[in-house]
């Protein structure tokens, strides 16, 4: 940070504890039976995260900081209530006493350097979330479909729709702060109260090389900030975070055949073909999204396979569509070693797993 004329400051914290309430619990319970987004829960979680962020930004001891870096948004469950917690580090400019914050960012000091050096000016910590459930109805349909081999389109539709909702909402959050892109997006899937929340967090920013159309539909990227710097060094800008998922069942007959096959050594043909088809389907979703936004390539593709039980699997693929833009370049020819060094944990408490439930364990699960 010193190479950009900045110095680190104090840790800042904001929190907010919320309850779903009796009415909200009934409403969300009924919605869970139907499947899809559980809007009551999405709203409560969004407002709780927002309240914690606002309190962090209003920290009374910022001492003239220009921004807050390394911002996080966490959800901790305390019985029937949920605590939303935001933590970050104040950033100061040398010999400058600011009267208001210029930016908040999910990027730490190393990531912030990479952003600034590749031409991205941070604006605000951005997030988008959606709480969703497969639902009893979807579960019944999926169970019947599970008797046959192939894609369970009811599940695929729910999963694809909810994941794109989170992406649309982080874009909407960025627009509110005058940004034309969201970089360094991290995606988490957090299980709670019989449902799941998908939350995307990143840094809304501006880059002068984006066309005006991105003011209303900001570019999105889940490339790391170091990867973003590398792409900018080659003249590329991220255009859109692209993702696709497919839910497949091996089928009742195929499941029996695989069970017998697994008793002997050798390839399980049914599973091989199933997972291959699921993977190809998810990647086709990505290719379609990239074509729609006129990208030159898709980089940083990551793939995940999950077992949903009863012979049903989810295959998820995420990447970033990029495009070469004239005039895009980095300020420096090389990244300094400090920008790519990684911190190591120096405190490990293995007793947590022996004493009881670790309250933040939900943050460790999911994809992205």
């Amino acid at each position: 940070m010193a190479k950009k004329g900045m110095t680190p400051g104090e840790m800042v914290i904001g929190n907010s504890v919320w309850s779903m309430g009796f009415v909200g619990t009934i409403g969300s319970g009924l919605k869970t039976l139907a499947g899809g987004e559980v809007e009551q829960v999405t709203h409560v979680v969004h407002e709780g995260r927002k309240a914690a962020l606002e309190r962090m930004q209003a920290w009374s001891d910022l001492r003239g900081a220009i921004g807050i870096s390394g911002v996080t948004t966490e959800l901790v469950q305390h019985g029937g209530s949920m605590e939303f917690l935001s933590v970050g580090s104040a950033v100061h400019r040398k010999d400058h006493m600011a009267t208001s914050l210029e930016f908040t960012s999910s990027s730490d000091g190393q990531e912030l350097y990479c952003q600034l050096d590749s031409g991205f000016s941070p604006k605000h910590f951005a997030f988008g979330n959606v709480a969703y459930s497969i639902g009893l109805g979807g579960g019944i349909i999926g169970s019947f479909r599970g008797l046959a081999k192939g894609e369970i389109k009811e599940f695929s539709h729910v999963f694809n729709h909810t994941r794109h909702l989170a992406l649309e909402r982080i874009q909407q959050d960025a627009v509110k702060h005058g940004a034309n892109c969201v970089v360094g997006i991290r995606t988490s899937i957090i299980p709670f109260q019989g449902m799941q929340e998908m939350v995307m967090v990143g840094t809304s920013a501006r880059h002068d090389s984006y066309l005006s159309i991105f003011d209303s539909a900001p570019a999105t990227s889940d490339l790391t900030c170091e990867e973003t710097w590398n792409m900018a060094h080659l003249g590329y800008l991220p255009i859109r975070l692209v993702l696709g998922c497919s839910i497949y069942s091996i089928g009742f007959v195929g499941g029996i055949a695989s069970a017998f096959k697994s008793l002997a050594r050798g390839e399980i043909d049914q599973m091989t073909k199933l997972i291959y088809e699921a993977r190809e389907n998810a990647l086709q979703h990505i290719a379609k999204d990239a074509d729609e936004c006129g990208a030159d390539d898709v980089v940083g593709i990551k793939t995940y396979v999950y077992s949903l039980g009863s012979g049903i699997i989810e295959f998820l693929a995420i990447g970033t569509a990029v495009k070469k833009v004239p005039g895009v370049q980095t300020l420096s020819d090389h990244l300094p070693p400090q920008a790519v060094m990684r911190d190591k944990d120096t405190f490990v408490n293995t007793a947590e797993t022996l004493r009881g439930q670790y309250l933040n364990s939900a943050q460790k699960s999911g994809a992205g």
Side-chain angles (χ1 to χ4, degrees), residues 108-111 114 226 335-344:
D108 59 23
Q110 294 149 311
E111 294 168 331
C114 294
E226 293 85 352
L335 281 175
Q338 295 92 331
V340 294
M341 292 170 62
R342 281 287 162 256
D343 296 331
K344 295 182 179 179

Side-chain angles (χ1 to χ4, degrees), residues 8-296:
E10 305 75 21
M11 176 183 289
V12 290
I13 301 172
N15 78 320
S16 180
V17 179
W18 285 62
S19 171
M20 281 295 296
F22 180 70
V23 177
T25 302
I26 294 176
S28 62
L30 293 175
K31 180 64 177 178
T32 302
L33 296 177
E37 181 181 11
V38 187
E39 296 178 1
Q40 298 96 326
V41 178
T42 296
H43 177 74
V44 169
V45 174
H46 180 273
E47 291 302 310
R49 291 187 187 277
K50 181 180 176 183
L53 286 166
E54 290 175 347
R55 286 179 183 162
M56 180 200 65
Q57 292 170 190
W59 189 265
S60 60
D61 199 21
L62 283 170
R63 302 179 184 177
I66 62 168
I68 303 176
S69 66
V71 176
T72 61
T73 175
E74 301 178 29
L75 187 160
V76 184
Q77 298 185 61
H78 299 290
S81 62
M82 297 180 290
E83 179 189 17
F84 301 94
L85 179 67
S86 289
V87 182
S89 298
V91 177
H92 297 262
R93 184 174 290 121
K94 292 180 180 178
D95 303 320
H96 177 74
M97 182 65 69
T99 56
S100 62
L101 292 173
E102 296 178 11
F103 68 88
T104 57
S105 172
S106 64
S107 299
D108 59 23
Q110 294 149 311
E111 294 168 331
L112 190 58
Y113 177 92
C114 294
Q115 282 185 10
L116 292 170
D117 204 74
S118 52
F120 292 90
S121 300
K123 291 291 183 182
H124 202 271
F125 175 88
F127 79 94
N129 75 306
V130 55
Y132 63 96
S133 168
I134 294 298
L136 178 60
I140 292 174
I141 295 172
S143 296
F144 282 110
R145 280 298 307 273
L147 297 176
K149 184 174 65 176
E151 183 181 11
I152 307 176
K153 295 186 181 297
E154 296 83 6
F155 278 22
S156 292
H157 174 74
V158 170
F159 275 60
N160 273 302
H161 179 64
T162 53
R163 279 148 175 68
H164 281 88
L165 276 178
L167 186 59
E168 291 170 9
R169 287 167 183 168
I170 200 172
Q171 288 179 294
Q172 294 167 3
D173 195 23
V175 169
K176 294 177 183 177
H177 297 96
N180 60 8
C181 59
V182 186
V183 294
I185 293 176
R186 300 182 182 98
T187 303
S188 299
I189 298 175
I190 305 170
F192 71 100
Q193 298 184 5
M195 293 165 282
Q196 292 182 322
E197 182 203 19
M198 182 174 188
V199 58
M200 292 183 173
V201 303
T203 301
S204 61
R206 286 201 68 85
H207 195 291
D208 293 338
S209 295
Y210 281 113
L211 299 175
S212 59
I213 59 173
F214 289 97
D215 290 335
S216 57
T220 50
S221 168
D222 77 335
L223 294 175
T224 66
C225 295
E226 293 85 352
E227 290 170 336
T228 300
W229 187 94
N230 285 328
M231 296 307 301
H233 191 62
L234 297 173
Y236 288 87
L237 282 180
I239 302 298
R240 183 188 297 177
L241 186 156
V242 289
L243 57 87
C245 73
S246 53
I247 312 299
Y248 270 66
S249 169
I250 191 173
F252 179 70
V253 177
I256 294 176
S258 295
F260 281 109
K261 179 73 174 181
S262 63
L263 297 176
R265 186 173 58 187
E267 183 179 10
I268 305 176
D269 296 336
Q270 291 85 354
M271 288 297 294
T272 298
K273 293 176 181 178
L274 179 73
I275 295 176
Y276 180 84
E277 185 179 341
R279 179 181 290 111
E280 288 298 302
N281 194 354
L283 292 175
Q284 285 174 11
H285 283 295
I286 281 185
K288 180 181 177 182
D289 284 354
D291 288 340
E292 288 177 353
C293 65
D296 294 332

